[in-house]
Amino acid sequence: MLDCTKRLSSSPDLFSKECYDLRKMFLKLKYPVKLIDSIFMRFHASQDLNQSCIEPIDSPVLINLPFKDQKSADSIRKQLKDLGKKIDHVIQPVFTSKKISEDLKVTETKSSLVNQQCIVYEFQFNSCDSNYIGYTSRHLHLRIEVHKYSVISKHLQDKHNQRPTNLHEQFTILKKCHGKFECLIYEMLLIRKKRPTLNTQNDSIPAKLFI
C-alpha cells in the first residue's frame, strides 16, 4: 500500500501527508502502534537503499559533425552508439549544416569597365608598344578570359616571358556600340586608323560583307 501511495504521489510533501493519513487510519482500525511504525520504518529504509543503488547518469558526450546526408548520419549514429557501449558512455552526434550564405559562392565584383558589353576595345601592353583591337558583343570580362589563350597571351609568353595575369588592367574601351553590326564597322575603322601590331587582319573581315 505504501509503495502504491508513493507512486501516486506527485511530490514528497504529498507522500508525507498520505503517510500521515494512512497511519491515522491504521490506528483507528486498532492496529498495534509498534507494527505500524515498523512497517513505515522498513518502507523508508528500503527506499533509501534503492536510491543509494541508483548510479548517477553521466551527461552524454556531444560531438559536432557536419551533416552530409541522412544515410551517412544514420551510419555515424550507429557507430557512435557501438563505441559508447564499449567505453560505457553515451556519445551523441550533433549534426550541423552549412549556412546558406556559405553555400552561395561570393562572386568577385567586376569593375564597370569589364562589365561593359557590345564594345570595341584595345589592349595595350604595358611593357612594349604592341597593341590589339577587337570587339565583343558579350561582357568584356568574358572576352578577356578568351584572350588568355589568344595572340595576346602568345605575345606575353614569347616576347616577355610572362603569364597572362591581370589583363583587364590593360584594356580600354574605344567605342560603345548599339549592336554587333555597329561593332564590326567601328572595329574595321579603328583597326585601319590605329594599325594595331598584333591584329593579323587590316580590318574586320566580317564587316566586308556589309560594305
Side-chain angles (χ1 to χ4, degrees), residues 5 25 74 77 86 91 93 100 121 131 137 140-141 186 206:
T5 302
M25 182 185 69
D74 293 339
R77 282 196 186 94
K86 293 179 181 179
I91 304 176
I100 295 177
Y121 60 85
N131 61 338
S137 57
L140 180 57
H141 67 84
Y186 277 100

Side-chain angles (χ1 to χ4, degrees), residues 16 25 32 66 74 90 98 100 105 137 150 171 176 183 193 197-198 202:
S16 297
M25 182 185 69
D74 293 339
V90 178
K98 290 183 179 180
I100 295 177
K105 294 183 179 180
S137 57
S150 70
F171 276 85
K176 174 70 175 174
C183 285
K193 178 181 178 181
T197 57
L198 294 181
N202 293 326

Side-chain angles (χ1 to χ4, degrees), residues 158-173:
D158 295 346
K159 302 298 183 180
H160 305 285
N161 195 26
Q162 296 178 6
R163 298 185 64 182
T165 57
N166 298 325
L167 294 181
H168 64 278
E169 297 177 355
Q170 301 171 69
F171 276 85
T172 55
I173 296 175

